[in-house]
Amino acid sequence: MKYVILGYGLEGVAADEYFKSLPDTEEVRVIDNDHERTFAEQLEGLEDYTVVRSPGVALSKIPGKFKVSSTTNEFFAKCPATIIGVTGSKGKGTTSTMIARILEAKGLRAHLVGNIGQPAIRELSKVSPEDYVIYELSSFQLWDIQFSPQIAVLTILEPDHLDVHTGFEEYVAAKANIVRFQGEDDLVVYNQNDQLVSKIAKSSRARQVAYPNELVKNLQDFLRVPGEHNLNDAQAAVSAVWDIIDGDVAVVKHGLEGFKGLPHHIEFVRELDGVQYYDDSFSSNPISTMVAVKAFTNPIILILGGFDKGTDMTPLKRFLNSASGENIKKILLIGQIKEQLKKGLHRDFEVVHTDNFKKILRRAREVASHGDIVLLSPGTSSFDMFRNFYERGEKFQKIVKGFE
């Protein structure tokens, strides 16, 4: 077999390593982004190769005459263990981690892969039939999936990644593929408060379990992370593994009570001069920022904005203008999208005309008072100023910890 890897990021590198290791592989080529030539142009003459699409490469960029696969499909086809797939616009990372922690508390071996862990294909050789794989799945990974996990978890759906998808409908259709190939012996866990998620779940042939629910009463008492969103994620996680752990509440408690949240997810950084600083750099869509704001009652200095990826920010501005955003003291608008964000925004805001992150954070410190919270929750991607949300969050933390 001959393969050509499209895209050479983290997933592409892992794909290159994996396919080169297969005994029947004749050749592996790599094609990365070339600003002067399209993927179609670079694929000319390689029609006898199987194209391995990296998640971020849109299907529309690959001519229809090619056979297309992905490491996600390859993993599903060869994984010997039960796969618990988690997707949604918000909460999938936290839910995935909680699932893994509960399974480990039961004494089971859990492999956390996908967006939150390392590329799944790198973990494949380590997986045994008695293990469990928790696979955080993005819309890009689900785009052309030919399999469904035995246990599928759907959190919430909001417009996202519209700079890559042709529209919200395509994004939703990709997410819906998580249940497309499920059978009657499978399970789908879904957020019943989200109409789109409910509709997708009900299209599955699998057994359906809705949350929020009361499988475990007073579940919030086991959590060390604040906010209703974290409680909902915990309920999703418990629902996904309830049968596996034989409904053992002690296992749930043991698995969750030490969980302090994920890096860059409303992460407490420090308190200085009575002001608390929180890093929510993972917030790359409007719903994430809404969730972060609702997690606090203290006055908030909100740092908002970044790369314009085509998302409609009107619902976020409506939220911030409403009673739900009444604890917003001031909004600092930053990044490529700052001019768009200010239109129709009625809260006290300031457009910060610099990409110097240290100056931005110094300004946040200047306007904050004792008892306030400085919250970095951008609501969009980071690519205008940073390589990714990790770098954005790490720089936020480094600068804030350096304040004297």
Side-chain angles (χ1 to χ4, degrees):
M1 291 285 290
K2 295 191 286 187
Y3 302 93
V4 55
I5 312 296
L6 277 196
Y8 207 58
L10 190 62
E11 291 275 355
V13 171
D16 186 25
E17 295 169 353
Y18 171 78
F19 285 105
K20 280 179 178 175
S21 73
L22 298 181
D24 62 346
T25 297
E26 300 171 40
E27 184 182 1
V28 178
R29 293 195 182 191
V30 173
I31 294 177
D32 203 3
N33 285 326
D34 183 334
H35 297 297
E36 296 181 1
R37 295 184 299 160
T38 65
F39 280 123
E41 290 171 334
Q42 295 181 79
L43 284 168
E44 283 296 327
L46 301 178
E47 287 78 7
D48 57 335
Y49 286 68
T50 295
V51 173
V52 180
R53 182 185 68 85
S54 292
V57 176
L59 288 167
S60 59
K61 294 182 178 181
I62 306 171
K65 59 187 174 182
F66 285 92
K67 179 184 177 182
V68 181
S69 186
S70 66
T71 53
T72 306
N73 275 315
E74 183 73 8
F75 184 89
F76 269 82
K78 295 187 177 178
C79 178
T82 297
I83 299 176
I84 304 173
V86 184
T87 199
S89 304
K90 179 69 179 172
K92 57 185 182 293
T94 298
T95 301
S96 296
T97 304
M98 287 177 168
I99 289 171
R101 290 181 66 92
I102 295 170
L103 291 175
E104 288 168 350
K106 182 68 173 176
L108 301 169
R109 192 169 181 224
H111 303 264
L112 191 57
V113 301
N115 278 16
I116 192 169
Q118 67 167 327
I121 205 68
R122 278 195 177 141
E123 194 76 4
L124 182 59
S125 63
K126 306 172 188 175
V127 179
S128 300
E130 64 274 13
D131 296 348
Y132 289 86
V133 171
I134 303 91
Y135 202 143
E136 183 189 333
L137 291 158
S138 70
S139 60
F140 303 147
Q141 290 162 318
L142 290 167
W143 221 335
D144 53 355
I145 194 75
Q146 298 298 311
F147 305 86
S148 288
Q150 292 92 335
I151 301 174
V153 182
L154 294 118
T155 59
I156 58 175
L157 286 179
E158 295 287 341
D160 202 0
H161 300 302
L162 301 187
D163 55 326
V164 179
H165 288 289
T166 58
F168 186 46
E169 287 185 4
E170 183 182 275
Y171 172 74
V172 172
K175 292 287 192 180
N177 283 337
I178 195 171
V179 301
R180 183 178 176 186
F181 303 99
Q182 282 194 307
E184 294 178 357
D185 295 331
D186 295 331
L187 172 68
V188 55
V189 174
Y190 68 98
N191 188 330
Q192 61 186 326
N193 293 329
D194 187 302
Q195 291 183 351
L196 280 173
V197 163
S198 298
K199 184 177 179 181
I200 291 170
K202 289 170 184 175
S203 72
S204 174
R205 292 181 294 159
R207 181 167 62 92
Q208 299 162 17
V209 174
Y211 76 94
N213 55 44
E214 292 190 357
L215 276 178
V216 177
K217 294 188 182 299
N218 301 317
L219 182 59
Q220 66 273 8
D221 295 343
F222 301 164
L223 299 177
R224 301 292 178 266
V225 284
E228 185 180 356
H229 61 292
N230 282 313
L231 176 58
N232 285 342
D233 292 342
Q235 289 181 328
V238 170
S239 299
V241 301
W242 190 246
D243 292 341
I244 298 171
I245 65 169
D246 301 318
D248 192 333
V249 176
V251 168
V252 174
K253 182 176 186 296
H254 181 56
L256 295 182
E257 62 184 358
F259 178 63
K260 297 179 180 179
L262 300 178
H264 313 302
H265 290 63
I266 320 183
E267 181 183 1
F268 176 71
V269 178
R270 73 175 295 191
E271 182 173 328
L272 178 65
D273 300 327
V275 177
Q276 294 184 341
Y277 292 79
Y278 281 85
D279 167 15
D280 190 37
S281 179
F282 190 79
S283 165
S284 60
N285 58 40
I287 190 67
S288 300
T289 299
M290 297 180 205
V291 166
V293 168
K294 287 193 290 186
F296 300 104
T297 55
N298 287 37
I300 295 173
I301 310 300
L302 175 63
I303 302 172
L304 180 69
F307 178 73
D308 184 359
K309 58 177 182 175
T311 304
D312 182 7
M313 306 300 279
T314 304
L316 174 59
K317 288 187 273 189
R318 191 179 302 124
F319 167 86
L320 295 173
N321 289 336
S322 73
S324 298
E326 63 187 1
N327 60 324
I328 297 288
K329 180 178 176 180
K330 194 177 191 69
I331 302 174
L332 300 183
L333 301 178
I334 69 170
Q336 182 191 70
I337 202 172
K338 58 182 178 283
E339 294 297 330
Q340 178 188 328
L341 283 172
K342 75 178 185 180
K343 297 173 184 176
L345 189 60
H346 303 313
R347 289 278 172 215
D348 182 14
F349 70 84
E350 177 181 324
V351 177
V352 185
H353 294 287
T354 179
D355 285 343
N356 185 309
F357 208 36
K358 184 174 285 188
K359 290 182 179 179
I360 292 169
L361 298 184
R362 282 177 180 165
R363 181 57 184 156
R365 185 182 182 186
E366 287 173 359
V367 299
S369 305
H370 191 284
D372 289 353
I373 286 169
V374 172
L375 173 63
L376 172 69
S377 189
T380 191
S381 297
S382 57
F383 305 127
D384 55 338
M385 293 167 59
F386 308 95
R387 288 193 303 271
N388 49 47
F389 79 85
Y390 289 109
E391 184 186 50
R392 179 169 63 186
E394 286 163 2
K395 287 199 172 180
F396 175 85
Q397 295 201 21
K398 182 177 180 180
I399 294 167
V400 167
K401 288 175 181 176
F403 283 160
E404 297 178 354

